[in-house]
Amino acid sequence: MRPGHALPMPASLLIPHRMPMRIVDTLLSAHEGCGVTESVLPRTSMMADREGRLDEVAFMEMIAQSYAAFKGYMDLLEGRHAGEGFLVGVRRLEVTGRAYAGDRLLTSIRTGASFGGFAVVEGCVTRGDEPVASGIITLWLAEDGR
């Protein structure tokens, strides 16, 4: 591990998203195509309703941003600038619990496949020991210079 590249690391150093669109706070771990991030959305988040309950779109965005943080970290370790990526598809998003702004949420991601500039990523969002959402997303990864 290079000096200055230790985890946990703020996601703000790894992904292009800025507040209020950045909803992943910290990359906690990254290895062998997998990563774990932490998110604590503020009470005033645009991803939550008036009661603070998170919208379903927040979960797919957490999975996408978690992969972006993981990929940005891998690029950093390899001495490359973090590339851009775009969410192009969501499959089987299943919301099985509730989460609220202010909850500490962990998102675990696993790279299922990478091919031709695309990545298929499986993700699961948990609150404590309770899974609250899971799904599979497809991302298009732009090449450097695009």
Side-chain angles (χ1 to χ4, degrees):
M1 173 107 22
R2 294 180 184 168
H5 293 66
L7 294 177
M9 183 177 284
S12 61
L13 301 175
L14 302 167
I15 63 177
H17 304 76
R18 296 294 167 243
M19 300 305 281
M21 285 307 298
R22 188 181 69 244
I23 60 175
V24 169
D25 297 319
T26 308
L27 179 64
L28 301 175
S29 68
H31 64 281
E32 298 181 13
C34 299
V36 177
T37 63
E38 177 184 55
S39 301
V40 180
L41 276 68
R43 300 265 181 217
T44 58
S45 173
M46 62 187 190
M47 298 283 189
D49 63 19
R50 289 184 178 185
E51 289 76 40
R53 184 175 176 178
L54 297 185
D55 189 271
E56 289 184 6
V57 73
F59 301 124
M60 77 178 162
E61 186 63 21
M62 279 180 199
I63 295 169
Q65 288 187 26
S66 294
Y67 179 77
F70 164 80
K71 181 77 168 76
Y73 183 72
M74 293 293 116
D75 289 344
L76 180 68
L77 290 180
E78 294 177 12
R80 296 190 312 246
H81 293 291
E84 289 186 324
F86 301 92
L87 179 63
V88 295
V90 178
R91 286 190 319 193
R92 295 193 302 239
L93 179 66
E94 184 176 355
V95 178
T96 57
R98 293 183 179 186
Y100 294 86
D103 288 345
R104 179 179 183 260
L105 302 173
L106 298 181
T107 303
S108 301
I109 58 100
R110 185 181 75 78
T111 308
S114 294
F115 51 91
F118 291 90
V120 177
V121 178
E122 298 173 29
C124 180
V125 180
T126 60
R127 183 184 68 218
D129 293 334
E130 176 192 1
V132 292
S134 61
I136 300 171
I137 63 171
T138 304
L139 300 140
W140 176 68
L141 307 175
E143 293 180 17
D144 288 341
R146 284 195 189 182

